[in-house]
């Protein structure tokens, strides 16, 4: 399935089968393969009950979340779901401090 033009560049949250949860700007989707740019891995979050709430509103406890550093490009090969983020959700997610070693 090709990405509709209206979806390209949209900030999304992607849950995968084995690579966890990622957010970023949608570049392409071909079946279960999704490419994101400016992507962050969502390793742990606090202050949202579900991924749906995270996508819509972000988190209430950003300092307690573990969101990885942004990567320029990532190809996820086993996407299970793609959730559009709201503007508020995107702004909140982008503002969570980078989790680093």
């Amino acid at each position: 399935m090709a990405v509709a033009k209206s979806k390209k560049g949209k900030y999304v949250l992607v849950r995968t089968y084995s690579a966890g949860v990622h957010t970023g700007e949608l570049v392409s989707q071909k079946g279960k393969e999704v490419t994101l740019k400016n992507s962050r891995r969502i390793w742990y979050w606090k202050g949202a009950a579900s991924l749906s709430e995270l996508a819509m509103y972000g988190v209430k406890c950003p300092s307690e979340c573990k969101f990885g550093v942004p990567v320029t490009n990532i190809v996820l090969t086993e996407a299970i779901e793609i959730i559009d983020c709201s503007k508020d959700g995107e702004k909140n997610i982008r503002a969570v401090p980078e989790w680093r070693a």
Side-chain angles (χ1 to χ4, degrees), residues 5 13 17 23 30-31 34 39-40 46 52 55 58 61 64 74 79-80 82 90-92 100-101:
K5 286 183 182 181
L13 187 148
Y17 178 72
T23 61
K30 296 175 187 155
V34 175
S39 176
R40 296 182 78 183
K46 185 172 181 182
S52 300
C61 308
E64 297 180 52
I74 190 167
I80 296 171
I82 301 171
E90 175 183 355
K91 183 178 177 181
N92 180 282
R100 299 189 206 187

Side-chain angles (χ1 to χ4, degrees), residues 1-64:
M1 169 189 306
V3 175
K5 286 183 182 181
S6 63
K7 295 272 247 182
K8 280 191 177 180
K10 177 84 175 146
Y11 199 79
V12 297
L13 187 148
V14 180
R15 182 169 65 106
T16 70
Y17 178 72
S18 59
V21 177
H22 300 258
T23 61
E25 300 159 33
L26 184 61
V27 174
S28 67
Q29 177 191 5
K30 296 175 187 155
K32 292 182 178 183
E33 184 177 285
V34 175
T35 301
L36 300 176
K37 69 179 185 178
N38 302 318
S39 176
R40 296 182 78 183
R41 185 182 308 265
I42 307 299
W43 193 80
Y44 172 83
W45 74 89
K46 185 172 181 182
S50 66
L51 292 177
S52 300
E53 184 178 350
L54 177 59
M56 292 298 98
Y57 306 109
V59 295
K60 293 179 183 171
C61 308
S63 65
E64 297 180 52

